[in-house]
Amino acid sequence: EDLADRQAFSFSRVSAEVTAKANPWLILNDAGQGVADQSVMEWGLGKKIGDAQSYSDERGTMKTVRLAAGLSPSVFQGSLLISEASFVADFPSVSGFRMFLIDVPSGREVAVEALLRRALEDFGLDLTPASRRLAEFMAVENTYLTIFMALGGLGLLLGSMGLGIVVLRNVQERRRELAMLRAVGYSRRELQRLILAEHLFLLGAGIVSGLVSAAVAILPALAAPAVDLPVAFLVGVLLALTVS
């Protein structure tokens, strides 16, 4: 109920029953419904929205829950979320709670952490920032992204050097033509503008073709809901590339 009131977290995919409700979290009030992280559901469990997932309660009885919604990457990776009523019915001997989500105002994380550690040290409280927990979940994926970014940077460097070599070779092969233009009255600055205009087309064509291919590659990710596209960063990279 608290998650629904806060409209907490974002959902990657939901079932038709969830769409009919005001908030996806409210689906847990229906018996036999569950929520899981979409990436875990798809790649870890090999399931999709609407499939059933079985688990064993504390008496060894197999229970089945229908996966009604998939969360975007969150701190719930590796967890199957069901309603509190269903959990109490399946695990009656579990008393109290083992995990808490603490909503801390921005900039107050250190102070709140110190206060909670002092107040609850006898209970063995272990606090983990959500950013660190997400980083641990995403460690393997981030490693691949870092490798691809390094390879992309190397390709960008080679491409820039290649363009410079093409320009230099082109100018050297046209030295007689340029000398004739100088002889008939063209200034050195005018020739520089002429050569720059010719090769700006080549640069622009390369950037546009790269943008189109990159857009096609990331289109499936962009189609997912709640995607935060770093527009300012991408525009900055393009401007830096063009200037360099």
Side-chain angles (χ1 to χ4, degrees):
E1 291 174 353
D2 287 338
L3 294 174
D5 292 339
R6 292 169 176 265
Q7 296 186 341
F9 301 94
S10 58
F11 289 82
S12 177
R13 296 178 185 175
V14 296
S15 63
E17 294 86 344
V18 173
T19 305
K21 294 183 177 293
N23 190 294
W25 288 113
L26 298 178
I27 192 66
L28 294 182
N29 291 327
D30 298 342
Q33 302 291 337
V35 171
D37 186 271
Q38 180 64 36
S39 59
V40 174
M41 185 191 309
E42 187 172 352
W43 304 109
L45 300 177
K47 305 283 187 179
K48 62 181 183 296
I49 297 297
D51 287 350
Q53 175 64 34
S54 299
Y55 65 92
S56 175
D57 65 10
E58 67 177 33
R59 293 176 290 269
T61 304
M62 295 303 298
K63 297 297 182 71
T64 301
V65 63
R66 180 176 176 272
L67 299 173
L71 285 162
S72 299
S74 68
V75 294
F76 292 122
Q77 292 189 36
S79 300
L80 176 62
L81 307 181
I82 58 178
S83 68
E84 184 177 13
S86 299
F87 184 86
V88 171
D90 294 338
F91 303 93
S93 65
V94 177
S95 60
F97 300 91
R98 297 181 181 178
M99 179 182 293
F100 299 88
L101 300 177
I102 306 171
D103 189 5
V104 182
S106 180
R108 297 286 309 281
E109 294 88 354
V110 176
V112 172
E113 181 177 359
L115 177 64
L116 290 175
R117 287 190 185 279
R118 286 197 305 270
L120 302 174
E121 61 181 352
D122 293 337
F123 296 92
L125 179 67
D126 181 21
L127 291 173
T128 303
S131 58
R132 186 195 307 166
R133 188 172 179 88
L134 282 173
E136 293 172 354
F137 285 141
M138 305 293 288
V140 175
E141 184 175 341
N142 289 339
T143 300
Y144 279 110
L145 291 176
T146 302
I147 293 173
F148 289 133
M149 185 175 294
L151 293 175
L154 179 61
L156 183 60
L157 178 62
L158 293 176
S160 301
M161 293 174 59
L163 180 60
I165 293 173
V166 168
V167 173
L168 180 62
R169 179 71 178 270
N170 190 9
V171 172
Q172 287 179 340
E173 292 179 349
R174 298 169 57 188
R175 291 178 63 183
R176 293 183 179 181
E177 174 189 340
L178 297 176
M180 184 185 69
L181 292 176
R182 286 294 304 276
V184 298
Y186 281 84
S187 67
R188 183 181 184 87
R189 185 175 297 275
E190 288 174 334
L191 291 180
Q192 288 176 343
R193 286 200 295 264
L194 177 64
I195 294 174
L196 181 62
E198 292 176 353
H199 292 93
L200 276 179
F201 174 77
L202 180 62
L203 174 63
I207 292 178
V208 170
S209 62
L211 276 175
V212 172
S213 60
V216 172
I218 66 173
L219 192 60
L222 293 179
V227 173
D228 185 14
L229 187 66
V231 178
F233 173 75
L234 294 177
V235 172
V237 169
L238 281 175
L239 290 177
L241 171 61
T242 304
V243 171
S244 66

PDB file of all heavy atoms in Angstrom, residues 139-171:
ATOM      1  N   ALA A 139      26.942  -5.176 -12.012  1.00  0.00           N
ATOM      2  CA  ALA A 139      28.399  -5.217 -12.172  1.00  0.00           C
ATOM      3  C   ALA A 139      28.810  -5.863 -13.494  1.00  0.00           C
ATOM      4  O   ALA A 139      29.665  -5.337 -14.224  1.00  0.00           O
ATOM      5  CB  ALA A 139      29.030  -5.961 -10.999  1.00  0.00           C
ATOM      6  N   VAL A 140      28.219  -7.016 -13.810  1.00  0.00           N
ATOM      7  CA  VAL A 140      28.603  -7.714 -15.042  1.00  0.00           C
ATOM      8  C   VAL A 140      28.212  -6.902 -16.266  1.00  0.00           C
ATOM      9  O   VAL A 140      29.011  -6.706 -17.194  1.00  0.00           O
ATOM     10  CB  VAL A 140      27.946  -9.113 -15.087  1.00  0.00           C
ATOM     11  CG1 VAL A 140      28.244  -9.793 -16.415  1.00  0.00           C
ATOM     12  CG2 VAL A 140      28.435  -9.967 -13.927  1.00  0.00           C
ATOM     13  N   GLU A 141      26.974  -6.382 -16.266  1.00  0.00           N
ATOM     14  CA  GLU A 141      26.524  -5.582 -17.408  1.00  0.00           C
ATOM     15  C   GLU A 141      27.360  -4.324 -17.570  1.00  0.00           C
ATOM     16  O   GLU A 141      27.726  -3.948 -18.687  1.00  0.00           O
ATOM     17  CB  GLU A 141      25.056  -5.218 -17.218  1.00  0.00           C
ATOM     18  CG  GLU A 141      24.461  -4.459 -18.396  1.00  0.00           C
ATOM     19  CD  GLU A 141      22.981  -4.227 -18.237  1.00  0.00           C
ATOM     20  OE1 GLU A 141      22.357  -4.946 -17.435  1.00  0.00           O
ATOM     21  OE2 GLU A 141      22.444  -3.342 -18.919  1.00  0.00           O
ATOM     22  N   ASN A 142      27.705  -3.688 -16.441  1.00  0.00           N
ATOM     23  CA  ASN A 142      28.527  -2.478 -16.519  1.00  0.00           C
ATOM     24  C   ASN A 142      29.917  -2.777 -17.051  1.00  0.00           C
ATOM     25  O   ASN A 142      30.527  -1.946 -17.726  1.00  0.00           O
ATOM     26  CB  ASN A 142      28.624  -1.827 -15.137  1.00  0.00           C
ATOM     27  CG  ASN A 142      27.324  -1.189 -14.717  1.00  0.00           C
ATOM     28  OD1 ASN A 142      26.485  -0.876 -15.557  1.00  0.00           O
ATOM     29  ND2 ASN A 142      27.144  -0.978 -13.425  1.00  0.00           N
ATOM     30  N   THR A 143      30.451  -3.970 -16.737  1.00  0.00           N
ATOM     31  CA  THR A 143      31.757  -4.348 -17.271  1.00  0.00           C
ATOM     32  C   THR A 143      31.711  -4.446 -18.790  1.00  0.00           C
ATOM     33  O   THR A 143      32.608  -3.946 -19.491  1.00  0.00           O
ATOM     34  CB  THR A 143      32.208  -5.691 -16.670  1.00  0.00           C
ATOM     35  OG1 THR A 143      32.293  -5.569 -15.241  1.00  0.00           O
ATOM     36  CG2 THR A 143      33.564  -6.100 -17.215  1.00  0.00           C
ATOM     37  N   TYR A 144      30.667  -5.082 -19.313  1.00  0.00           N
ATOM     38  CA  TYR A 144      30.516  -5.165 -20.772  1.00  0.00           C
ATOM     39  C   TYR A 144      30.356  -3.777 -21.381  1.00  0.00           C
ATOM     40  O   TYR A 144      30.935  -3.477 -22.439  1.00  0.00           O
ATOM     41  CB  TYR A 144      29.306  -6.032 -21.128  1.00  0.00           C
ATOM     42  CG  TYR A 144      29.590  -7.518 -21.077  1.00  0.00           C
ATOM     43  CD1 TYR A 144      29.042  -8.321 -20.089  1.00  0.00           C
ATOM     44  CD2 TYR A 144      30.411  -8.115 -22.032  1.00  0.00           C
ATOM     45  CE1 TYR A 144      29.297  -9.683 -20.035  1.00  0.00           C
ATOM     46  CE2 TYR A 144      30.674  -9.476 -21.992  1.00  0.00           C
ATOM     47  CZ  TYR A 144      30.113 -10.254 -20.987  1.00  0.00           C
ATOM     48  OH  TYR A 144      30.377 -11.585 -20.937  1.00  0.00           O
ATOM     49  N   LEU A 145      29.578  -2.920 -20.733  1.00  0.00           N
ATOM     50  CA  LEU A 145      29.381  -1.568 -21.253  1.00  0.00           C
ATOM     51  C   LEU A 145      30.700  -0.803 -21.282  1.00  0.00           C
ATOM     52  O   LEU A 145      30.979  -0.055 -22.221  1.00  0.00           O
ATOM     53  CB  LEU A 145      28.353  -0.822 -20.406  1.00  0.00           C
ATOM     54  CG  LEU A 145      26.908  -1.316 -20.517  1.00  0.00           C
ATOM     55  CD1 LEU A 145      26.021  -0.551 -19.553  1.00  0.00           C
ATOM     56  CD2 LEU A 145      26.389  -1.155 -21.940  1.00  0.00           C
ATOM     57  N   THR A 146      31.524  -0.983 -20.244  1.00  0.00           N
ATOM     58  CA  THR A 146      32.817  -0.317 -20.205  1.00  0.00           C
ATOM     59  C   THR A 146      33.718  -0.800 -21.341  1.00  0.00           C
ATOM     60  O   THR A 146      34.410  -0.007 -21.987  1.00  0.00           O
ATOM     61  CB  THR A 146      33.503  -0.568 -18.851  1.00  0.00           C
ATOM     62  OG1 THR A 146      32.657  -0.088 -17.797  1.00  0.00           O
ATOM     63  CG2 THR A 146      34.837   0.151 -18.772  1.00  0.00           C
ATOM     64  N   ILE A 147      33.693  -2.120 -21.594  1.00  0.00           N
ATOM     65  CA  ILE A 147      34.502  -2.668 -22.687  1.00  0.00           C
ATOM     66  C   ILE A 147      34.054  -2.097 -24.023  1.00  0.00           C
ATOM     67  O   ILE A 147      34.870  -1.657 -24.850  1.00  0.00           O
ATOM     68  CB  ILE A 147      34.410  -4.209 -22.689  1.00  0.00           C
ATOM     69  CG1 ILE A 147      35.070  -4.782 -21.437  1.00  0.00           C
ATOM     70  CG2 ILE A 147      35.056  -4.784 -23.950  1.00  0.00           C
ATOM     71  CD1 ILE A 147      34.892  -6.276 -21.268  1.00  0.00           C
ATOM     72  N   PHE A 148      32.731  -2.086 -24.246  1.00  0.00           N
ATOM     73  CA  PHE A 148      32.218  -1.558 -25.515  1.00  0.00           C
ATOM     74  C   PHE A 148      32.492  -0.065 -25.653  1.00  0.00           C
ATOM     75  O   PHE A 148      32.747   0.435 -26.749  1.00  0.00           O
ATOM     76  CB  PHE A 148      30.721  -1.837 -25.629  1.00  0.00           C
ATOM     77  CG  PHE A 148      30.393  -3.283 -25.860  1.00  0.00           C
ATOM     78  CD1 PHE A 148      29.406  -3.913 -25.127  1.00  0.00           C
ATOM     79  CD2 PHE A 148      31.088  -4.020 -26.802  1.00  0.00           C
ATOM     80  CE1 PHE A 148      29.104  -5.253 -25.328  1.00  0.00           C
ATOM     81  CE2 PHE A 148      30.800  -5.364 -27.009  1.00  0.00           C
ATOM     82  CZ  PHE A 148      29.810  -5.978 -26.272  1.00  0.00           C
ATOM     83  N   MET A 149      32.457   0.674 -24.529  1.00  0.00           N
ATOM     84  CA  MET A 149      32.751   2.097 -24.591  1.00  0.00           C
ATOM     85  C   MET A 149      34.222   2.320 -24.956  1.00  0.00           C
ATOM     86  O   MET A 149      34.561   3.218 -25.735  1.00  0.00           O
ATOM     87  CB  MET A 149      32.426   2.757 -23.259  1.00  0.00           C
ATOM     88  CG  MET A 149      32.584   4.273 -23.270  1.00  0.00           C
ATOM     89  SD  MET A 149      32.042   5.035 -21.725  1.00  0.00           S
ATOM     90  CE  MET A 149      30.283   4.677 -21.802  1.00  0.00           C
ATOM     91  N   ALA A 150      35.116   1.483 -24.391  1.00  0.00           N
ATOM     92  CA  ALA A 150      36.532   1.602 -24.734  1.00  0.00           C
ATOM     93  C   ALA A 150      36.764   1.290 -26.204  1.00  0.00           C
ATOM     94  O   ALA A 150      37.523   1.996 -26.899  1.00  0.00           O
ATOM     95  CB  ALA A 150      37.358   0.667 -23.849  1.00  0.00           C
ATOM     96  N   LEU A 151      36.098   0.231 -26.702  1.00  0.00           N
ATOM     97  CA  LEU A 151      36.237  -0.099 -28.124  1.00  0.00           C
ATOM     98  C   LEU A 151      35.658   1.005 -29.005  1.00  0.00           C
ATOM     99  O   LEU A 151      36.222   1.338 -30.061  1.00  0.00           O
ATOM    100  CB  LEU A 151      35.536  -1.433 -28.410  1.00  0.00           C
ATOM    101  CG  LEU A 151      36.162  -2.672 -27.769  1.00  0.00           C
ATOM    102  CD1 LEU A 151      35.305  -3.896 -28.039  1.00  0.00           C
ATOM    103  CD2 LEU A 151      37.571  -2.889 -28.296  1.00  0.00           C
ATOM    104  N   GLY A 152      34.530   1.573 -28.573  1.00  0.00           N
ATOM    105  CA  GLY A 152      33.945   2.673 -29.330  1.00  0.00           C
ATOM    106  C   GLY A 152      34.850   3.890 -29.353  1.00  0.00           C
ATOM    107  O   GLY A 152      34.987   4.563 -30.383  1.00  0.00           O
ATOM    108  N   GLY A 153      35.486   4.182 -28.216  1.00  0.00           N
ATOM    109  CA  GLY A 153      36.431   5.301 -28.182  1.00  0.00           C
ATOM    110  C   GLY A 153      37.621   5.074 -29.083  1.00  0.00           C
ATOM    111  O   GLY A 153      38.092   5.997 -29.767  1.00  0.00           O
ATOM    112  N   LEU A 154      38.111   3.816 -29.116  1.00  0.00           N
ATOM    113  CA  LEU A 154      39.219   3.498 -30.015  1.00  0.00           C
ATOM    114  C   LEU A 154      38.805   3.656 -31.475  1.00  0.00           C
ATOM    115  O   LEU A 154      39.554   4.200 -32.300  1.00  0.00           O
ATOM    116  CB  LEU A 154      39.693   2.060 -29.748  1.00  0.00           C
ATOM    117  CG  LEU A 154      40.835   1.548 -30.633  1.00  0.00           C
ATOM    118  CD1 LEU A 154      42.082   2.403 -30.451  1.00  0.00           C
ATOM    119  CD2 LEU A 154      41.151   0.085 -30.304  1.00  0.00           C
ATOM    120  N   GLY A 155      37.592   3.181 -31.793  1.00  0.00           N
ATOM    121  CA  GLY A 155      37.091   3.353 -33.158  1.00  0.00           C
ATOM    122  C   GLY A 155      36.934   4.819 -33.526  1.00  0.00           C
ATOM    123  O   GLY A 155      37.222   5.229 -34.654  1.00  0.00           O
ATOM    124  N   LEU A 156      36.486   5.629 -32.562  1.00  0.00           N
ATOM    125  CA  LEU A 156      36.340   7.068 -32.806  1.00  0.00           C
ATOM    126  C   LEU A 156      37.693   7.706 -33.067  1.00  0.00           C
ATOM    127  O   LEU A 156      37.841   8.541 -33.972  1.00  0.00           O
ATOM    128  CB  LEU A 156      35.668   7.715 -31.595  1.00  0.00           C
ATOM    129  CG  LEU A 156      35.369   9.203 -31.681  1.00  0.00           C
ATOM    130  CD1 LEU A 156      34.425   9.499 -32.841  1.00  0.00           C
ATOM    131  CD2 LEU A 156      34.769   9.697 -30.377  1.00  0.00           C
ATOM    132  N   LEU A 157      38.694   7.308 -32.294  1.00  0.00           N
ATOM    133  CA  LEU A 157      40.044   7.846 -32.489  1.00  0.00           C
ATOM    134  C   LEU A 157      40.596   7.466 -33.862  1.00  0.00           C
ATOM    135  O   LEU A 157      41.146   8.308 -34.586  1.00  0.00           O
ATOM    136  CB  LEU A 157      40.963   7.326 -31.379  1.00  0.00           C
ATOM    137  CG  LEU A 157      42.431   7.745 -31.456  1.00  0.00           C
ATOM    138  CD1 LEU A 157      42.557   9.261 -31.355  1.00  0.00           C
ATOM    139  CD2 LEU A 157      43.237   7.067 -30.353  1.00  0.00           C
ATOM    140  N   LEU A 158      40.438   6.198 -34.231  1.00  0.00           N
ATOM    141  CA  LEU A 158      40.920   5.750 -35.539  1.00  0.00           C
ATOM    142  C   LEU A 158      40.169   6.453 -36.671  1.00  0.00           C
ATOM    143  O   LEU A 158      40.758   6.814 -37.695  1.00  0.00           O
ATOM    144  CB  LEU A 158      40.758   4.232 -35.658  1.00  0.00           C
ATOM    145  CG  LEU A 158      41.635   3.384 -34.731  1.00  0.00           C
ATOM    146  CD1 LEU A 158      41.302   1.902 -34.882  1.00  0.00           C
ATOM    147  CD2 LEU A 158      43.111   3.616 -35.035  1.00  0.00           C
ATOM    148  N   GLY A 159      38.856   6.642 -36.484  1.00  0.00           N
ATOM    149  CA  GLY A 159      38.077   7.323 -37.509  1.00  0.00           C
ATOM    150  C   GLY A 159      38.508   8.767 -37.688  1.00  0.00           C
ATOM    151  O   GLY A 159      38.612   9.270 -38.814  1.00  0.00           O
ATOM    152  N   SER A 160      38.777   9.450 -36.569  1.00  0.00           N
ATOM    153  CA  SER A 160      39.234  10.847 -36.652  1.00  0.00           C
ATOM    154  C   SER A 160      40.591  10.929 -37.341  1.00  0.00           C
ATOM    155  O   SER A 160      40.825  11.804 -38.188  1.00  0.00           O
ATOM    156  CB  SER A 160      39.301  11.451 -35.250  1.00  0.00           C
ATOM    157  OG  SER A 160      38.045  11.407 -34.626  1.00  0.00           O
ATOM    158  N   MET A 161      41.495  10.029 -36.974  1.00  0.00           N
ATOM    159  CA  MET A 161      42.813  10.015 -37.625  1.00  0.00           C
ATOM    160  C   MET A 161      42.664   9.696 -39.110  1.00  0.00           C
ATOM    161  O   MET A 161      43.356  10.285 -39.953  1.00  0.00           O
ATOM    162  CB  MET A 161      43.716   8.987 -36.931  1.00  0.00           C
ATOM    163  CG  MET A 161      44.086   9.349 -35.502  1.00  0.00           C
ATOM    164  SD  MET A 161      45.015   8.033 -34.681  1.00  0.00           S
ATOM    165  CE  MET A 161      46.437   7.886 -35.772  1.00  0.00           C
ATOM    166  N   GLY A 162      41.774   8.754 -39.419  1.00  0.00           N
ATOM    167  CA  GLY A 162      41.566   8.394 -40.825  1.00  0.00           C
ATOM    168  C   GLY A 162      41.060   9.568 -41.645  1.00  0.00           C
ATOM    169  O   GLY A 162      41.509   9.797 -42.776  1.00  0.00           O
ATOM    170  N   LEU A 163      40.128  10.333 -41.069  1.00  0.00           N
ATOM    171  CA  LEU A 163      39.623  11.509 -41.775  1.00  0.00           C
ATOM    172  C   LEU A 163      40.729  12.527 -42.000  1.00  0.00           C
ATOM    173  O   LEU A 163      40.832  13.128 -43.075  1.00  0.00           O
ATOM    174  CB  LEU A 163      38.471  12.132 -40.981  1.00  0.00           C
ATOM    175  CG  LEU A 163      37.834  13.384 -41.596  1.00  0.00           C
ATOM    176  CD1 LEU A 163      37.264  13.072 -42.973  1.00  0.00           C
ATOM    177  CD2 LEU A 163      36.756  13.946 -40.687  1.00  0.00           C
ATOM    178  N   GLY A 164      41.570  12.719 -40.992  1.00  0.00           N
ATOM    179  CA  GLY A 164      42.695  13.648 -41.148  1.00  0.00           C
ATOM    180  C   GLY A 164      43.653  13.209 -42.247  1.00  0.00           C
ATOM    181  O   GLY A 164      44.138  14.029 -43.037  1.00  0.00           O
ATOM    182  N   ILE A 165      43.915  11.893 -42.322  1.00  0.00           N
ATOM    183  CA  ILE A 165      44.807  11.374 -43.361  1.00  0.00           C
ATOM    184  C   ILE A 165      44.193  11.560 -44.748  1.00  0.00           C
ATOM    185  O   ILE A 165      44.874  11.916 -45.710  1.00  0.00           O
ATOM    186  CB  ILE A 165      45.120   9.888 -43.078  1.00  0.00           C
ATOM    187  CG1 ILE A 165      45.952   9.766 -41.803  1.00  0.00           C
ATOM    188  CG2 ILE A 165      45.852   9.264 -44.262  1.00  0.00           C
ATOM    189  CD1 ILE A 165      46.158   8.336 -41.345  1.00  0.00           C
ATOM    190  N   VAL A 166      42.864  11.324 -44.849  1.00  0.00           N
ATOM    191  CA  VAL A 166      42.181  11.514 -46.139  1.00  0.00           C
ATOM    192  C   VAL A 166      42.282  12.964 -46.594  1.00  0.00           C
ATOM    193  O   VAL A 166      42.564  13.259 -47.767  1.00  0.00           O
ATOM    194  CB  VAL A 166      40.701  11.079 -46.010  1.00  0.00           C
ATOM    195  CG1 VAL A 166      39.915  11.536 -47.236  1.00  0.00           C
ATOM    196  CG2 VAL A 166      40.609   9.573 -45.856  1.00  0.00           C
ATOM    197  N   VAL A 167      42.073  13.891 -45.668  1.00  0.00           N
ATOM    198  CA  VAL A 167      42.160  15.309 -46.011  1.00  0.00           C
ATOM    199  C   VAL A 167      43.580  15.660 -46.461  1.00  0.00           C
ATOM    200  O   VAL A 167      43.780  16.332 -47.485  1.00  0.00           O
ATOM    201  CB  VAL A 167      41.726  16.173 -44.809  1.00  0.00           C
ATOM    202  CG1 VAL A 167      41.983  17.659 -45.105  1.00  0.00           C
ATOM    203  CG2 VAL A 167      40.264  15.951 -44.485  1.00  0.00           C
ATOM    204  N   LEU A 168      44.567  15.199 -45.699  1.00  0.00           N
ATOM    205  CA  LEU A 168      45.962  15.501 -46.031  1.00  0.00           C
ATOM    206  C   LEU A 168      46.338  14.924 -47.390  1.00  0.00           C
ATOM    207  O   LEU A 168      46.968  15.604 -48.228  1.00  0.00           O
ATOM    208  CB  LEU A 168      46.880  14.941 -44.936  1.00  0.00           C
ATOM    209  CG  LEU A 168      48.379  15.162 -45.131  1.00  0.00           C
ATOM    210  CD1 LEU A 168      48.691  16.663 -45.158  1.00  0.00           C
ATOM    211  CD2 LEU A 168      49.174  14.474 -44.030  1.00  0.00           C
ATOM    212  N   ARG A 169      45.951  13.682 -47.636  1.00  0.00           N
ATOM    213  CA  ARG A 169      46.273  13.035 -48.916  1.00  0.00           C
ATOM    214  C   ARG A 169      45.583  13.774 -50.073  1.00  0.00           C
ATOM    215  O   ARG A 169      46.190  13.979 -51.141  1.00  0.00           O
ATOM    216  CB  ARG A 169      45.818  11.571 -48.851  1.00  0.00           C
ATOM    217  CG  ARG A 169      46.056  10.771 -50.120  1.00  0.00           C
ATOM    218  CD  ARG A 169      47.540  10.489 -50.326  1.00  0.00           C
ATOM    219  NE  ARG A 169      47.751   9.685 -51.526  1.00  0.00           N
ATOM    220  CZ  ARG A 169      47.763   8.352 -51.514  1.00  0.00           C
ATOM    221  NH1 ARG A 169      47.555   7.699 -50.384  1.00  0.00           N
ATOM    222  NH2 ARG A 169      47.983   7.688 -52.626  1.00  0.00           N
ATOM    223  N   ASN A 170      44.354  14.166 -49.857  1.00  0.00           N
ATOM    224  CA  ASN A 170      43.602  14.859 -50.902  1.00  0.00           C
ATOM    225  C   ASN A 170      44.261  16.194 -51.251  1.00  0.00           C
ATOM    226  O   ASN A 170      44.402  16.549 -52.420  1.00  0.00           O
ATOM    227  CB  ASN A 170      42.160  15.071 -50.431  1.00  0.00           C
ATOM    228  CG  ASN A 170      41.255  15.563 -51.541  1.00  0.00           C
ATOM    229  OD1 ASN A 170      41.642  15.591 -52.701  1.00  0.00           O
ATOM    230  ND2 ASN A 170      40.045  15.952 -51.176  1.00  0.00           N
ATOM    231  N   VAL A 171      44.657  16.928 -50.228  1.00  0.00           N
ATOM    232  CA  VAL A 171      45.292  18.229 -50.465  1.00  0.00           C
ATOM    233  C   VAL A 171      46.630  18.061 -51.171  1.00  0.00           C
ATOM    234  O   VAL A 171      46.975  18.822 -52.093  1.00  0.00           O
ATOM    235  CB  VAL A 171      45.456  18.991 -49.136  1.00  0.00           C
ATOM    236  CG1 VAL A 171      46.283  20.260 -49.341  1.00  0.00           C
ATOM    237  CG2 VAL A 171      44.096  19.340 -48.554  1.00  0.00           C
TER     238      VAL A 171
END
